[in-house]
PDB file of all heavy atoms in Angstrom:
ATOM      1  N   ASP A   5     -91.453  26.402 -68.838  1.00 41.00           N
ATOM      2  CA  ASP A   5     -90.208  27.038 -68.350  1.00 41.00           C
ATOM      3  C   ASP A   5     -89.319  26.024 -67.649  1.00 41.00           C
ATOM      4  O   ASP A   5     -89.766  25.001 -67.211  1.00 41.00           O
ATOM      5  CB  ASP A   5     -90.549  28.196 -67.401  1.00 41.00           C
ATOM      6  CG  ASP A   5     -91.307  29.300 -68.091  1.00 41.00           C
ATOM      7  OD1 ASP A   5     -91.092  29.462 -69.301  1.00 41.00           O
ATOM      8  OD2 ASP A   5     -92.030  30.021 -67.382  1.00 41.00           O
ATOM      9  N   ASP A   6     -88.035  26.388 -67.526  1.00 40.00           N
ATOM     10  CA  ASP A   6     -87.072  25.462 -66.962  1.00 40.00           C
ATOM     11  C   ASP A   6     -87.377  25.048 -65.560  1.00 40.00           C
ATOM     12  O   ASP A   6     -86.917  24.011 -65.097  1.00 40.00           O
ATOM     13  CB  ASP A   6     -85.653  26.099 -66.956  1.00 40.00           C
ATOM     14  CG  ASP A   6     -84.948  25.860 -68.316  1.00 40.00           C
ATOM     15  OD1 ASP A   6     -85.586  25.168 -69.138  1.00 40.00           O
ATOM     16  OD2 ASP A   6     -83.845  26.304 -68.517  1.00 40.00           O
ATOM     17  N   ASN A   7     -88.118  25.898 -64.783  1.00 39.00           N
ATOM     18  CA  ASN A   7     -88.420  25.524 -63.412  1.00 39.00           C
ATOM     19  C   ASN A   7     -89.596  24.612 -63.275  1.00 39.00           C
ATOM     20  O   ASN A   7     -90.047  24.274 -62.192  1.00 39.00           O
ATOM     21  CB  ASN A   7     -88.597  26.795 -62.533  1.00 39.00           C
ATOM     22  CG  ASN A   7     -89.807  27.604 -63.013  1.00 39.00           C
ATOM     23  OD1 ASN A   7     -90.318  27.366 -64.060  1.00 39.00           O
ATOM     24  ND2 ASN A   7     -90.098  28.633 -62.199  1.00 39.00           N
ATOM     25  N   MET A   8     -90.140  24.196 -64.429  1.00 35.00           N
ATOM     26  CA  MET A   8     -91.263  23.292 -64.408  1.00 35.00           C
ATOM     27  C   MET A   8     -90.797  21.825 -64.726  1.00 35.00           C
ATOM     28  O   MET A   8     -89.703  21.634 -65.289  1.00 35.00           O
ATOM     29  CB  MET A   8     -92.271  23.716 -65.499  1.00 35.00           C
ATOM     30  CG  MET A   8     -92.791  25.159 -65.285  1.00 35.00           C
ATOM     31  SD  MET A   8     -93.855  25.304 -63.832  1.00 35.00           S
ATOM     32  CE  MET A   8     -95.325  24.474 -64.449  1.00 35.00           C
ATOM     33  N   VAL A   9     -91.619  20.903 -64.371  1.00 35.00           N
ATOM     34  CA  VAL A   9     -91.355  19.508 -64.790  1.00 35.00           C
ATOM     35  C   VAL A   9     -91.630  19.422 -66.284  1.00 35.00           C
ATOM     36  O   VAL A   9     -92.637  19.696 -66.776  1.00 35.00           O
ATOM     37  CB  VAL A   9     -92.277  18.559 -64.020  1.00 35.00           C
ATOM     38  CG1 VAL A   9     -92.004  17.122 -64.520  1.00 35.00           C
ATOM     39  CG2 VAL A   9     -92.052  18.624 -62.534  1.00 35.00           C
ATOM     40  N   CYS A  10     -90.519  19.024 -67.041  1.00 43.00           N
ATOM     41  CA  CYS A  10     -90.680  19.078 -68.559  1.00 43.00           C
ATOM     42  C   CYS A  10     -90.947  17.729 -69.153  1.00 43.00           C
ATOM     43  O   CYS A  10     -91.449  17.669 -70.250  1.00 43.00           O
ATOM     44  CB  CYS A  10     -89.451  19.728 -69.156  1.00 43.00           C
ATOM     45  SG  CYS A  10     -87.910  18.850 -68.880  1.00 43.00           S
ATOM     46  N   GLU A  11     -90.595  16.613 -68.487  1.00 42.00           N
ATOM     47  CA  GLU A  11     -90.873  15.334 -69.056  1.00 42.00           C
ATOM     48  C   GLU A  11     -90.562  14.259 -68.011  1.00 42.00           C
ATOM     49  O   GLU A  11     -89.986  14.492 -66.993  1.00 42.00           O
ATOM     50  CB  GLU A  11     -90.105  15.056 -70.356  1.00 42.00           C
ATOM     51  CG  GLU A  11     -88.627  15.126 -70.164  1.00 42.00           C
ATOM     52  CD  GLU A  11     -87.917  14.993 -71.470  1.00 42.00           C
ATOM     53  OE1 GLU A  11     -87.908  13.906 -72.049  1.00 42.00           O
ATOM     54  OE2 GLU A  11     -87.346  15.992 -72.013  1.00 42.00           O
ATOM     55  N   GLU A  12     -90.936  13.032 -68.311  1.00 38.00           N
ATOM     56  CA  GLU A  12     -90.664  11.922 -67.446  1.00 38.00           C
ATOM     57  C   GLU A  12     -89.480  11.104 -68.020  1.00 38.00           C
ATOM     58  O   GLU A  12     -89.458  10.810 -69.202  1.00 38.00           O
ATOM     59  CB  GLU A  12     -91.879  10.964 -67.381  1.00 38.00           C
ATOM     60  CG  GLU A  12     -93.109  11.639 -66.749  1.00 38.00           C
ATOM     61  CD  GLU A  12     -93.012  11.854 -65.286  1.00 38.00           C
ATOM     62  OE1 GLU A  12     -92.289  11.035 -64.640  1.00 38.00           O
ATOM     63  OE2 GLU A  12     -93.578  12.807 -64.727  1.00 38.00           O
ATOM     64  N   LEU A  13     -88.534  10.822 -67.199  1.00 39.00           N
ATOM     65  CA  LEU A  13     -87.351  10.061 -67.599  1.00 39.00           C
ATOM     66  C   LEU A  13     -87.107   8.958 -66.573  1.00 39.00           C
ATOM     67  O   LEU A  13     -86.999   9.278 -65.374  1.00 39.00           O
ATOM     68  CB  LEU A  13     -86.125  10.936 -67.699  1.00 39.00           C
ATOM     69  CG  LEU A  13     -86.102  11.923 -68.898  1.00 39.00           C
ATOM     70  CD1 LEU A  13     -84.927  12.871 -68.733  1.00 39.00           C
ATOM     71  CD2 LEU A  13     -86.003  11.145 -70.177  1.00 39.00           C
ATOM     72  N   GLY A  14     -87.064   7.716 -67.048  1.00 38.00           N
ATOM     73  CA  GLY A  14     -86.776   6.630 -66.144  1.00 38.00           C
ATOM     74  C   GLY A  14     -87.826   6.480 -65.042  1.00 38.00           C
ATOM     75  O   GLY A  14     -87.523   5.995 -63.943  1.00 38.00           O
ATOM     76  N   GLY A  15     -89.061   6.981 -65.307  1.00 38.00           N
ATOM     77  CA  GLY A  15     -90.081   6.842 -64.345  1.00 38.00           C
ATOM     78  C   GLY A  15     -90.128   7.937 -63.281  1.00 38.00           C
ATOM     79  O   GLY A  15     -90.968   7.963 -62.399  1.00 38.00           O
ATOM     80  N   GLU A  16     -89.177   8.840 -63.330  1.00 44.00           N
ATOM     81  CA  GLU A  16     -89.125   9.948 -62.377  1.00 44.00           C
ATOM     82  C   GLU A  16     -89.247  11.273 -63.100  1.00 44.00           C
ATOM     83  O   GLU A  16     -88.791  11.428 -64.214  1.00 44.00           O
ATOM     84  CB  GLU A  16     -87.795   9.903 -61.552  1.00 44.00           C
ATOM     85  CG  GLU A  16     -87.638   8.649 -60.732  1.00 44.00           C
ATOM     86  CD  GLU A  16     -86.359   8.671 -59.929  1.00 44.00           C
ATOM     87  OE1 GLU A  16     -85.620   9.704 -60.034  1.00 44.00           O
ATOM     88  OE2 GLU A  16     -86.073   7.674 -59.276  1.00 44.00           O
ATOM     89  N   ALA A  17     -89.888  12.204 -62.465  1.00 55.00           N
ATOM     90  CA  ALA A  17     -90.013  13.538 -63.035  1.00 55.00           C
ATOM     91  C   ALA A  17     -88.680  14.171 -63.191  1.00 55.00           C
ATOM     92  O   ALA A  17     -87.869  14.125 -62.306  1.00 55.00           O
ATOM     93  CB  ALA A  17     -90.920  14.403 -62.168  1.00 55.00           C
ATOM     94  N   PHE A  18     -88.449  14.802 -64.366  1.00 70.00           N
ATOM     95  CA  PHE A  18     -87.172  15.460 -64.632  1.00 70.00           C
ATOM     96  C   PHE A  18     -87.348  16.985 -64.472  1.00 70.00           C
ATOM     97  O   PHE A  18     -88.155  17.611 -65.178  1.00 70.00           O
ATOM     98  CB  PHE A  18     -86.709  15.130 -66.074  1.00 70.00           C
ATOM     99  CG  PHE A  18     -85.496  15.857 -66.477  1.00 70.00           C
ATOM    100  CD1 PHE A  18     -84.249  15.485 -65.976  1.00 70.00           C
ATOM    101  CD2 PHE A  18     -85.573  16.865 -67.419  1.00 70.00           C
ATOM    102  CE1 PHE A  18     -83.132  16.161 -66.429  1.00 70.00           C
ATOM    103  CE2 PHE A  18     -84.444  17.557 -67.821  1.00 70.00           C
ATOM    104  CZ  PHE A  18     -83.206  17.191 -67.291  1.00 70.00           C
ATOM    105  N   HIS A  19     -86.626  17.577 -63.581  1.00 86.00           N
ATOM    106  CA  HIS A  19     -86.675  19.047 -63.323  1.00 86.00           C
ATOM    107  C   HIS A  19     -85.479  19.681 -63.940  1.00 86.00           C
ATOM    108  O   HIS A  19     -84.341  19.437 -63.518  1.00 86.00           O
ATOM    109  CB  HIS A  19     -86.713  19.309 -61.804  1.00 86.00           C
ATOM    110  CG  HIS A  19     -87.944  18.782 -61.144  1.00 86.00           C
ATOM    111  ND1 HIS A  19     -89.072  19.604 -60.896  1.00 86.00           N
ATOM    112  CD2 HIS A  19     -88.292  17.599 -60.690  1.00 86.00           C
ATOM    113  CE1 HIS A  19     -89.995  18.937 -60.331  1.00 86.00           C
ATOM    114  NE2 HIS A  19     -89.537  17.659 -60.177  1.00 86.00           N
ATOM    115  N   ALA A  20     -85.652  20.439 -65.005  1.00 88.00           N
ATOM    116  CA  ALA A  20     -84.540  20.976 -65.803  1.00 88.00           C
ATOM    117  C   ALA A  20     -83.641  21.908 -64.965  1.00 88.00           C
ATOM    118  O   ALA A  20     -82.422  21.802 -65.067  1.00 88.00           O
ATOM    119  CB  ALA A  20     -85.084  21.764 -67.013  1.00 88.00           C
ATOM    120  N   ASP A  21     -84.275  22.724 -64.063  1.00 90.00           N
ATOM    121  CA  ASP A  21     -83.419  23.644 -63.315  1.00 90.00           C
ATOM    122  C   ASP A  21     -82.575  22.923 -62.278  1.00 90.00           C
ATOM    123  O   ASP A  21     -81.384  23.247 -62.064  1.00 90.00           O
ATOM    124  CB  ASP A  21     -84.276  24.704 -62.609  1.00 90.00           C
ATOM    125  CG  ASP A  21     -85.339  24.131 -61.664  1.00 90.00           C
ATOM    126  OD1 ASP A  21     -85.690  22.922 -61.852  1.00 90.00           O
ATOM    127  OD2 ASP A  21     -85.751  24.864 -60.760  1.00 90.00           O
ATOM    128  N   ARG A  22     -83.092  21.856 -61.696  1.00 92.00           N
ATOM    129  CA  ARG A  22     -82.247  21.086 -60.747  1.00 92.00           C
ATOM    130  C   ARG A  22     -81.194  20.317 -61.473  1.00 92.00           C
ATOM    131  O   ARG A  22     -80.053  20.226 -60.991  1.00 92.00           O
ATOM    132  CB  ARG A  22     -83.149  20.024 -59.990  1.00 92.00           C
ATOM    133  CG  ARG A  22     -84.218  20.690 -59.116  1.00 92.00           C
ATOM    134  CD  ARG A  22     -85.079  19.608 -58.469  1.00 92.00           C
ATOM    135  NE  ARG A  22     -86.281  20.176 -57.841  1.00 92.00           N
ATOM    136  CZ  ARG A  22     -87.268  19.458 -57.334  1.00 92.00           C
ATOM    137  NH1 ARG A  22     -87.178  18.122 -57.368  1.00 92.00           N
ATOM    138  NH2 ARG A  22     -88.283  20.054 -56.794  1.00 92.00           N
ATOM    139  N   TRP A  23     -81.493  19.778 -62.605  1.00 94.00           N
ATOM    140  CA  TRP A  23     -80.488  19.092 -63.432  1.00 94.00           C
ATOM    141  C   TRP A  23     -79.339  20.074 -63.805  1.00 94.00           C
ATOM    142  O   TRP A  23     -78.178  19.710 -63.672  1.00 94.00           O
ATOM    143  CB  TRP A  23     -81.146  18.502 -64.672  1.00 94.00           C
ATOM    144  CG  TRP A  23     -80.123  17.823 -65.622  1.00 94.00           C
ATOM    145  CD1 TRP A  23     -79.729  16.534 -65.634  1.00 94.00           C
ATOM    146  CD2 TRP A  23     -79.430  18.484 -66.655  1.00 94.00           C
ATOM    147  NE1 TRP A  23     -78.838  16.332 -66.628  1.00 94.00           N
ATOM    148  CE2 TRP A  23     -78.633  17.536 -67.303  1.00 94.00           C
ATOM    149  CE3 TRP A  23     -79.378  19.814 -67.149  1.00 94.00           C
ATOM    150  CZ2 TRP A  23     -77.792  17.770 -68.395  1.00 94.00           C
ATOM    151  CZ3 TRP A  23     -78.529  20.107 -68.223  1.00 94.00           C
ATOM    152  CH2 TRP A  23     -77.745  19.074 -68.816  1.00 94.00           C
ATOM    153  N   LEU A  24     -79.722  21.235 -64.247  1.00 95.00           N
ATOM    154  CA  LEU A  24     -78.723  22.204 -64.672  1.00 95.00           C
ATOM    155  C   LEU A  24     -77.830  22.607 -63.534  1.00 95.00           C
ATOM    156  O   LEU A  24     -76.610  22.722 -63.605  1.00 95.00           O
ATOM    157  CB  LEU A  24     -79.365  23.422 -65.299  1.00 95.00           C
ATOM    158  CG  LEU A  24     -78.468  24.575 -65.756  1.00 95.00           C
ATOM    159  CD1 LEU A  24     -77.477  24.043 -66.796  1.00 95.00           C
ATOM    160  CD2 LEU A  24     -79.272  25.736 -66.347  1.00 95.00           C
ATOM    161  N   ALA A  25     -78.440  22.855 -62.324  1.00 95.00           N
ATOM    162  CA  ALA A  25     -77.643  23.239 -61.115  1.00 95.00           C
ATOM    163  C   ALA A  25     -76.690  22.150 -60.760  1.00 95.00           C
ATOM    164  O   ALA A  25     -75.514  22.424 -60.401  1.00 95.00           O
ATOM    165  CB  ALA A  25     -78.582  23.545 -59.948  1.00 95.00           C
ATOM    166  N   ALA A  26     -77.103  20.878 -60.888  1.00 96.00           N
ATOM    167  CA  ALA A  26     -76.202  19.760 -60.527  1.00 96.00           C
ATOM    168  C   ALA A  26     -75.055  19.690 -61.548  1.00 96.00           C
ATOM    169  O   ALA A  26     -73.865  19.386 -61.153  1.00 96.00           O
ATOM    170  CB  ALA A  26     -76.987  18.447 -60.550  1.00 96.00           C
ATOM    171  N   ILE A  27     -75.323  19.926 -62.815  1.00 97.00           N
ATOM    172  CA  ILE A  27     -74.303  19.871 -63.808  1.00 97.00           C
ATOM    173  C   ILE A  27     -73.297  20.989 -63.577  1.00 97.00           C
ATOM    174  O   ILE A  27     -72.064  20.856 -63.684  1.00 97.00           O
ATOM    175  CB  ILE A  27     -74.920  20.031 -65.242  1.00 97.00           C
ATOM    176  CG1 ILE A  27     -75.647  18.760 -65.604  1.00 97.00           C
ATOM    177  CG2 ILE A  27     -73.842  20.278 -66.290  1.00 97.00           C
ATOM    178  CD1 ILE A  27     -74.799  17.527 -65.842  1.00 97.00           C
ATOM    179  N   GLN A  28     -73.790  22.214 -63.224  1.00 97.00           N
ATOM    180  CA  GLN A  28     -72.882  23.311 -62.948  1.00 97.00           C
ATOM    181  C   GLN A  28     -72.009  23.060 -61.731  1.00 97.00           C
ATOM    182  O   GLN A  28     -70.769  23.340 -61.777  1.00 97.00           O
ATOM    183  CB  GLN A  28     -73.696  24.596 -62.769  1.00 97.00           C
ATOM    184  CG  GLN A  28     -74.361  25.132 -64.023  1.00 97.00           C
ATOM    185  CD  GLN A  28     -75.222  26.343 -63.766  1.00 97.00           C
ATOM    186  OE1 GLN A  28     -76.242  26.208 -63.006  1.00 97.00           O
ATOM    187  NE2 GLN A  28     -74.902  27.428 -64.408  1.00 97.00           N
ATOM    188  N   ASP A  29     -72.577  22.453 -60.719  1.00 97.00           N
ATOM    189  CA  ASP A  29     -71.779  22.071 -59.528  1.00 97.00           C
ATOM    190  C   ASP A  29     -70.696  21.111 -59.910  1.00 97.00           C
ATOM    191  O   ASP A  29     -69.554  21.170 -59.379  1.00 97.00           O
ATOM    192  CB  ASP A  29     -72.687  21.531 -58.471  1.00 97.00           C
ATOM    193  CG  ASP A  29     -73.533  22.569 -57.763  1.00 97.00           C
ATOM    194  OD1 ASP A  29     -73.135  23.807 -57.889  1.00 97.00           O
ATOM    195  OD2 ASP A  29     -74.490  22.243 -57.092  1.00 97.00           O
ATOM    196  N   ARG A  30     -71.058  20.144 -60.735  1.00 97.00           N
ATOM    197  CA  ARG A  30     -70.071  19.100 -61.125  1.00 97.00           C
ATOM    198  C   ARG A  30     -68.942  19.726 -61.897  1.00 97.00           C
ATOM    199  O   ARG A  30     -67.772  19.330 -61.718  1.00 97.00           O
ATOM    200  CB  ARG A  30     -70.800  18.004 -61.949  1.00 97.00           C
ATOM    201  CG  ARG A  30     -69.910  16.845 -62.207  1.00 97.00           C
ATOM    202  CD  ARG A  30     -70.667  15.715 -62.834  1.00 97.00           C
ATOM    203  NE  ARG A  30     -69.826  14.585 -63.128  1.00 97.00           N
ATOM    204  CZ  ARG A  30     -70.094  13.613 -63.952  1.00 97.00           C
ATOM    205  NH1 ARG A  30     -71.300  13.584 -64.475  1.00 97.00           N
ATOM    206  NH2 ARG A  30     -69.262  12.629 -64.166  1.00 97.00           N
ATOM    207  N   ILE A  31     -69.253  20.664 -62.789  1.00 98.00           N
ATOM    208  CA  ILE A  31     -68.171  21.357 -63.565  1.00 98.00           C
ATOM    209  C   ILE A  31     -67.308  22.165 -62.651  1.00 98.00           C
ATOM    210  O   ILE A  31     -66.044  22.132 -62.788  1.00 98.00           O
ATOM    211  CB  ILE A  31     -68.837  22.200 -64.658  1.00 98.00           C
ATOM    212  CG1 ILE A  31     -69.464  21.356 -65.727  1.00 98.00           C
ATOM    213  CG2 ILE A  31     -67.788  23.128 -65.292  1.00 98.00           C
ATOM    214  CD1 ILE A  31     -70.291  22.093 -66.742  1.00 98.00           C
ATOM    215  N   ARG A  32     -67.885  22.895 -61.701  1.00 98.00           N
ATOM    216  CA  ARG A  32     -67.056  23.679 -60.830  1.00 98.00           C
ATOM    217  C   ARG A  32     -66.161  22.812 -59.964  1.00 98.00           C
ATOM    218  O   ARG A  32     -64.991  23.174 -59.712  1.00 98.00           O
ATOM    219  CB  ARG A  32     -67.975  24.535 -59.907  1.00 98.00           C
ATOM    220  CG  ARG A  32     -68.780  25.583 -60.650  1.00 98.00           C
ATOM    221  CD  ARG A  32     -69.651  26.405 -59.727  1.00 98.00           C
ATOM    222  NE  ARG A  32     -70.560  27.306 -60.453  1.00 98.00           N
ATOM    223  CZ  ARG A  32     -71.846  27.227 -60.478  1.00 98.00           C
ATOM    224  NH1 ARG A  32     -72.529  26.288 -59.750  1.00 98.00           N
ATOM    225  NH2 ARG A  32     -72.580  28.066 -61.187  1.00 98.00           N
ATOM    226  N   THR A  33     -66.693  21.701 -59.485  1.00 98.00           N
ATOM    227  CA  THR A  33     -65.840  20.766 -58.702  1.00 98.00           C
ATOM    228  C   THR A  33     -64.689  20.252 -59.529  1.00 98.00           C
ATOM    229  O   THR A  33     -63.549  20.156 -59.126  1.00 98.00           O
ATOM    230  CB  THR A  33     -66.706  19.642 -58.171  1.00 98.00           C
ATOM    231  OG1 THR A  33     -67.689  20.142 -57.335  1.00 98.00           O
ATOM    232  CG2 THR A  33     -65.844  18.656 -57.393  1.00 98.00           C
ATOM    233  N   ALA A  34     -64.992  19.854 -60.767  1.00 97.00           N
ATOM    234  CA  ALA A  34     -63.964  19.347 -61.661  1.00 97.00           C
ATOM    235  C   ALA A  34     -62.912  20.374 -61.964  1.00 97.00           C
ATOM    236  O   ALA A  34     -61.724  20.060 -62.029  1.00 97.00           O
ATOM    237  CB  ALA A  34     -64.611  18.820 -62.960  1.00 97.00           C
ATOM    238  N   ALA A  35     -63.328  21.597 -62.152  1.00 97.00           N
ATOM    239  CA  ALA A  35     -62.397  22.675 -62.419  1.00 97.00           C
ATOM    240  C   ALA A  35     -61.428  22.910 -61.188  1.00 97.00           C
ATOM    241  O   ALA A  35     -60.274  23.104 -61.372  1.00 97.00           O
ATOM    242  CB  ALA A  35     -63.109  23.989 -62.797  1.00 97.00           C
ATOM    243  N   ARG A  36     -62.053  22.853 -60.053  1.00 97.00           N
ATOM    244  CA  ARG A  36     -61.274  23.087 -58.799  1.00 97.00           C
ATOM    245  C   ARG A  36     -60.273  21.985 -58.566  1.00 97.00           C
ATOM    246  O   ARG A  36     -59.118  22.240 -58.175  1.00 97.00           O
ATOM    247  CB  ARG A  36     -62.207  23.175 -57.601  1.00 97.00           C
ATOM    248  CG  ARG A  36     -61.511  23.555 -56.291  1.00 97.00           C
ATOM    249  CD  ARG A  36     -62.475  23.763 -55.133  1.00 97.00           C
ATOM    250  NE  ARG A  36     -63.105  22.511 -54.711  1.00 97.00           N
ATOM    251  CZ  ARG A  36     -64.390  22.138 -54.958  1.00 97.00           C
ATOM    252  NH1 ARG A  36     -65.145  22.988 -55.639  1.00 97.00           N
ATOM    253  NH2 ARG A  36     -64.845  21.019 -54.576  1.00 97.00           N
ATOM    254  N   LEU A  37     -60.659  20.741 -58.928  1.00 97.00           N
ATOM    255  CA  LEU A  37     -59.769  19.569 -58.666  1.00 97.00           C
ATOM    256  C   LEU A  37     -58.966  19.219 -59.898  1.00 97.00           C
ATOM    257  O   LEU A  37     -58.091  18.277 -59.799  1.00 97.00           O
ATOM    258  CB  LEU A  37     -60.610  18.354 -58.254  1.00 97.00           C
ATOM    259  CG  LEU A  37     -61.475  18.541 -57.004  1.00 97.00           C
ATOM    260  CD1 LEU A  37     -62.288  17.283 -56.721  1.00 97.00           C
ATOM    261  CD2 LEU A  37     -60.563  18.835 -55.808  1.00 97.00           C
ATOM    262  N   GLY A  38     -59.176  19.849 -61.026  1.00 95.00           N
ATOM    263  CA  GLY A  38     -58.409  19.536 -62.229  1.00 95.00           C
ATOM    264  C   GLY A  38     -58.825  18.202 -62.810  1.00 95.00           C
ATOM    265  O   GLY A  38     -57.963  17.484 -63.366  1.00 95.00           O
ATOM    266  N   GLN A  39     -60.088  17.787 -62.705  1.00 96.00           N
ATOM    267  CA  GLN A  39     -60.528  16.490 -63.203  1.00 96.00           C
ATOM    268  C   GLN A  39     -61.153  16.615 -64.591  1.00 96.00           C
ATOM    269  O   GLN A  39     -61.958  17.557 -64.826  1.00 96.00           O
ATOM    270  CB  GLN A  39     -61.594  15.931 -62.216  1.00 96.00           C
ATOM    271  CG  GLN A  39     -61.106  15.593 -60.877  1.00 96.00           C
ATOM    272  CD  GLN A  39     -62.188  15.106 -59.851  1.00 96.00           C
ATOM    273  OE1 GLN A  39     -63.383  15.428 -60.135  1.00 96.00           O
ATOM    274  NE2 GLN A  39     -61.783  14.451 -58.855  1.00 96.00           N
TER     275      GLN A  39
END
Side-chain angles (χ1 to χ4, degrees):
D5 293 334
D6 274 357
N7 61 351
M8 301 291 286
V9 176
C10 62
E11 61 185 287
E12 296 288 331
L13 289 171
E16 296 182 3
F18 175 73
H19 295 262
D21 58 338
R22 296 178 191 172
W23 176 91
L24 180 57
I27 290 290
Q28 289 176 300
D29 285 344
R30 190 172 176 195
I31 291 172
R32 293 181 187 117
T33 299
R36 186 175 69 253
L37 300 177
Q39 295 175 339

